[in-house]
Amino acid sequence: MLKLHDELIAELSNLLTTQNYNPVVVANHRLYARAFLDYLAECDMQVETVTPAQVDQYFAYAIRDFEAQYGRPPCARWQMLPRTSINKLLRLAQGKWPPEPEMTEPETAYRQAICCEYEAWLRDERGLASATIAALMWEARNFLRWRFERGGAASLGTLSIVEVDLYMDMRAPGLRRKSLADVAERLRSVVRYLHRTGRIPTDLTPHIIGPMLYAYEDVPSTLDKSQIAAVLATTKKDGSPRGMRDFAVLQLLATYGLREGEICRLRLEDVNWRGESLRIRHTKTNAYSYMPLLAPVGEALLDYLRHGRPQVEGREIFIRSCAPYIAMTNLYGMIRGRLAAAGVEPPGKRGAHVFRHARAVELLRASVPQKIIGDVLGHRSIESTNAYLKLATDDLRAVALDVPGSEMLS
């Protein structure tokens, strides 16, 4: 067993090293993994069969040992690195960690089967984007769990609109009308599928009604030119690898108004340096469009690729700035931090879309036709572009007509 443990430790060390972890971090992971393996040996447990409950037992033991040694309990974050080390170790030993929960109850297995079939239908028959599928699946799991807890698996066959309304009432607290309307839309998809597969005898989807929404009732968050310039200038001062990466990302956002996923999925081969063009795959339509590679963007990308990007095999351009060096999947935290560093506080949301909205306003003010704006932003229809018209409120005020008789009121 000791030899097997040594081999696991060596394999863990090699894995972390190939992922470009700092040698000190690798040493810490080895230390925590060794302590856990020693505990398993003392308890005569096999690492190949360790369960999540046994890992929790180990941490309870480690906390008692810490208190005995230092006379105080550890802080709340004390378990984070050891637990990460143990998770990586067990992933090597068992192939998959954490393991799938055992479905001891037939109803749990039935609910899981419905979810698997529904997910396959969304992906294979409807061809939806992965982000859309994830949102629909969350609602499906939540609804089925709620329904089964109230009446069991057989209660699907007697589902009524009254019970659907109860579910909507349960979901409503804390949600805005737009979010609750999204819940209703996702629930309709789930109920429609359950009816198609014969699990619900009556099609209840026409009766699942969300709150009334009015076209363009909310004005999205956006930035003006001075705010964008401030964010870019502040970020450019950061000459670290992370700063170079963030500056290149912000240049792409400010110049083209790309979506978050379009930037995260941008690959090395998407940049045509000789042809001075940029290939964008739009996340919602999976269609490609080509943008001119403008000088500020090209310079920022080149600076990052030469001096800031980690040496990895992945083809995605933008890589995490700390190990494991994998492609970025989210820009929200970075954008929020860069906005704060520049002292920019837009009202409302602070993600990638504030730059997208700003780009739309800029194009509108330049009298660019809506069809071209939609093509630049990767919209499927002109209705999607219409939502940005309300952003140019200053322009609308400039062309406002005087109300007849208003001069008599002044």
Side-chain angles (χ1 to χ4, degrees):
M1 180 183 293
L2 183 60
K3 182 178 179 181
L4 177 61
H5 287 182
D6 289 340
E7 291 174 354
L8 273 175
I9 293 292
E11 191 175 352
L12 176 65
S13 180
N14 291 336
L15 174 66
L16 297 175
T17 301
T18 57
Q19 292 178 341
N20 296 308
Y21 277 85
N22 185 285
V24 175
V25 176
V26 175
N28 287 335
H29 277 290
R30 289 171 58 94
L31 180 66
Y32 292 127
R34 172 63 69 185
F36 177 66
L37 291 174
D38 290 344
Y39 169 82
L40 295 183
E42 290 180 9
C43 298
D44 196 24
M45 297 181 185
Q46 300 295 320
V47 67
E48 296 85 358
T49 59
V50 166
T51 65
Q54 290 171 329
V55 174
D56 291 338
Q57 291 174 9
Y58 166 72
F59 278 104
Y61 158 80
I63 290 172
R64 291 194 300 270
D65 185 64
F66 185 98
E67 291 175 342
Q69 185 173 357
Y70 297 102
R72 61 176 178 83
C75 65
R77 296 171 58 87
W78 174 80
Q79 293 187 25
M80 290 183 61
L81 183 56
R83 191 173 288 275
T84 300
S85 306
I86 292 169
N87 287 343
K88 291 181 181 295
L89 179 78
L90 292 174
R91 204 167 291 124
L92 290 173
Q94 299 188 9
K96 183 176 182 179
W97 184 268
E100 293 288 346
E102 295 184 6
M103 294 181 289
T104 55
E105 299 180 1
E107 289 188 352
T108 304
Y110 180 52
R111 189 174 73 234
Q112 183 67 23
I114 294 175
C115 289
C116 290
E117 293 174 14
Y118 179 53
E119 184 174 13
W121 179 70
L122 294 173
R123 182 183 61 252
D124 300 334
E125 294 195 30
R126 296 198 59 195
L128 300 180
S130 56
T132 304
I133 293 175
L136 289 166
M137 288 306 303
W138 189 94
E139 202 67 56
R141 293 188 185 97
N142 198 54
F143 171 71
L144 290 172
R145 185 184 304 111
W146 175 86
R147 184 61 186 150
F148 279 33
E149 288 175 354
R150 289 173 61 87
S155 64
L156 275 183
T158 59
L159 184 70
S160 67
I161 194 60
V162 173
E163 290 157 328
V164 170
D165 288 342
L166 289 175
Y167 175 78
M168 292 293 294
D169 290 342
M170 182 273 294
R171 292 281 280 119
L175 295 182
R176 299 174 61 200
R177 289 190 303 121
K178 175 64 171 68
S179 299
L180 193 57
D182 291 340
V183 172
E185 183 179 355
R186 294 192 292 265
L187 184 60
R188 278 194 292 270
S189 176
V190 177
V191 171
R192 184 181 299 112
Y193 176 77
L194 293 172
H195 173 65
R196 279 175 53 117
T197 55
R199 295 181 172 97
I200 296 179
T202 306
D203 185 9
L204 301 175
T205 52
H207 307 289
I208 302 175
I209 302 172
M212 180 68 70
L213 298 178
Y214 302 97
Y216 320 135
E217 60 177 288
D218 292 329
V219 177
S221 300
T222 187
L223 302 172
D224 59 38
K225 285 186 176 181
S226 63
Q227 290 175 316
I228 293 175
V231 174
L232 290 173
T234 303
T235 307
K236 191 172 184 178
K237 294 177 182 178
D238 183 356
S240 68
R242 177 179 292 183
M244 288 185 278
R245 182 202 66 188
D246 294 353
F247 182 70
V249 169
L250 293 171
Q251 279 283 13
L252 284 165
L253 287 170
T255 304
Y256 304 112
L258 301 180
R259 299 182 179 96
E260 176 183 76
E262 292 163 353
I263 290 181
C264 292
R265 293 163 65 181
L266 198 63
R267 298 170 66 86
L268 295 171
E269 55 267 26
D270 291 329
V271 184
N272 185 344
W273 298 101
R274 293 184 181 275
E276 296 184 349
S277 67
L278 194 65
R279 182 178 64 178
I280 306 298
R281 190 172 84 177
H282 298 289
T283 50
K284 288 193 175 181
T285 62
N286 283 326
Y288 286 95
S289 64
Y290 292 84
M291 306 287 186
L293 183 60
L294 301 182
V297 177
E299 292 169 3
L301 282 173
L302 198 58
D303 192 34
Y304 168 63
L305 292 174
R306 284 177 171 173
H307 308 295
R309 186 176 183 270
Q311 299 297 318
V312 294
E313 295 181 359
R315 301 296 295 173
E316 290 82 8
I317 290 180
F318 296 108
I319 305 296
R320 282 167 41 109
S321 58
C322 57
Y325 293 128
I326 57 177
M328 296 181 71
T329 57
N330 184 284
L331 302 179
Y332 179 77
M334 180 276 286
I335 293 172
R336 183 174 182 178
R338 295 300 178 181
L339 289 173
V344 174
E345 297 184 3
K349 297 180 180 179
R350 303 183 182 187
H353 263 62
V354 294
F355 290 89
R356 184 173 175 83
H357 298 157
R359 180 59 175 153
V361 171
E362 184 179 359
L363 293 172
L364 285 168
R365 288 174 177 166
S367 300
V368 176
Q370 281 183 255
K371 177 63 171 65
I372 296 178
I373 296 176
D375 292 341
V376 170
L377 298 178
H379 288 158
R380 294 181 182 179
S381 64
I382 197 170
E383 285 76 14
S384 300
T385 311
N386 285 341
Y388 296 111
L389 286 171
K390 57 189 171 182
L391 289 165
T393 52
D394 292 338
D395 305 75
L396 295 177
R397 292 190 186 100
V399 299
L401 299 176
D402 291 333
V403 177
S406 60
E407 65 278 358
M408 299 176 58
L409 300 175
S410 59

